[in-house]
Amino acid sequence: KAGVTQTPRYLIKTRGQQVTLSCSPISGHRSVSWYQQTPGQGLQFLFEYFSETQRNKGNFPGRFSGRQFSNSRSEMNVSTLELGDSALYLCASSLAIRTYSYNEQFFGPGTRLTVL
Amino acid sequence: GQQVMQIPQYQHVQEGEDFTTYCNSSTTLSNIQWYKQRPGGHPVFLIQLVKSGEVKKQKRLTFQFGEAKKNSSLHITATQTTDVGTYFCAGPTSYDKVIFGPGTSLSVIP
């Protein structure tokens, strides 16, 4: 079974631009969650989508948004990029048999975003 | 707000020595998960503990969930260079979000 894939793997943007990241979950997984990983803040939860609905949201500004499509693929968008948005953005999928937090998460390789 | 802490932040061991990382939550957890992230890689699920006092083993790795379900530990016996990486614990908040600990970075000196 193919793992979680994320595109692009690397991205360089300038302040003020916007960016869209893509995540394809493992086949059959309906839950997709997004995380931001930085050396200073560690792994921080952004949001979780299940059946095209956002079920959970972390403490990030409204510039961070996402969506999920009917095939469970998900996109994350960051508008008006700031230098502090430079990070590794990880997507994870899970079966979500129970609630989100009870499920083993399978992480993708991440998208390394650099904001100049 | 709810916090999940891990100690130590870094650990350097000689190959063959044992290693333990501790995870502490400010609130009771319904379950706890452990992940390993190799340098340059992504987190990989290791195990989930659900019951109070639960102990699970995976070869040289032993995981424990505290009686009060507020702390957990991961112990590696006789470390190998393949154990290098950052070990994260993760638990749910009361709002069903997952909060990760800051991780313990393990270096193994051959």
Side-chain angles (χ1 to χ4, degrees), chain A residues 94-105:
Chain A
S94 69
L95 278 170
I97 295 171
R98 296 177 66 176
T99 58
Y100 159 64
S101 62
Y102 266 88
N103 294 276
E104 170 185 354
Q105 296 187 77

Side-chain angles (χ1 to χ4, degrees), chain A residues 35 37 42-43 45 48 55-59 88 90 99-110, chain B residues 30-31 33 35 37 40-45 48 50 88 91-93 95-102:
Chain A
Y35 294 86
Q37 186 173 35
L43 264 165
F45 171 73
E48 185 235 353
R55 287 202 302 192
N56 276 297
K57 190 177 189 306
N59 299 322
L88 179 67
L90 291 159
T99 58
Y100 159 64
S101 62
Y102 266 88
N103 294 276
E104 170 185 354
Q105 296 187 77
F106 295 82
F107 282 84
Chain B
S30 56
N31 73 89
Q33 298 179 354
Y35 291 81
Q37 185 173 20
H42 56 275
V44 174
F45 176 84
Q48 181 184 58
V50 179
F88 296 96
T93 69
Y95 298 100
D96 198 38
K97 301 174 188 178
V98 174
I99 182 169
F100 278 77

Side-chain angles (χ1 to χ4, degrees), chain A residues 19-23 34-35 46-47 64-67 74-78 89-90 113:
Chain A
V19 67
T20 299
L21 312 181
S22 181
C23 171
W34 288 88
Y35 294 86
L46 279 155
F47 27 65
F64 292 81
S65 63
R67 58 178 176 168
S74 178
E75 286 183 347
M76 190 192 100
N77 184 274
V78 188
Y89 289 89
L90 291 159
L113 172 64

Side-chain angles (χ1 to χ4, degrees), chain B residues 52-106:
Chain B
S52 168
E54 188 170 14
V55 178
K56 286 189 176 180
K57 292 189 176 184
Q58 289 180 350
K59 297 182 180 178
R60 295 178 295 103
L61 277 61
T62 301
F63 303 84
Q64 288 189 321
F65 201 8
E67 294 290 341
K69 300 184 79 173
K70 294 179 71 173
N71 55 71
S72 180
S73 65
L74 158 58
H75 179 81
I76 302 178
T77 303
T79 54
Q80 300 174 358
T81 54
T82 54
D83 296 325
V84 166
T86 301
Y87 293 85
F88 296 96
C89 62
T93 69
S94 53
Y95 298 100
D96 198 38
K97 301 174 188 178
V98 174
I99 182 169
F100 278 77
T104 294
S105 179
L106 172 65

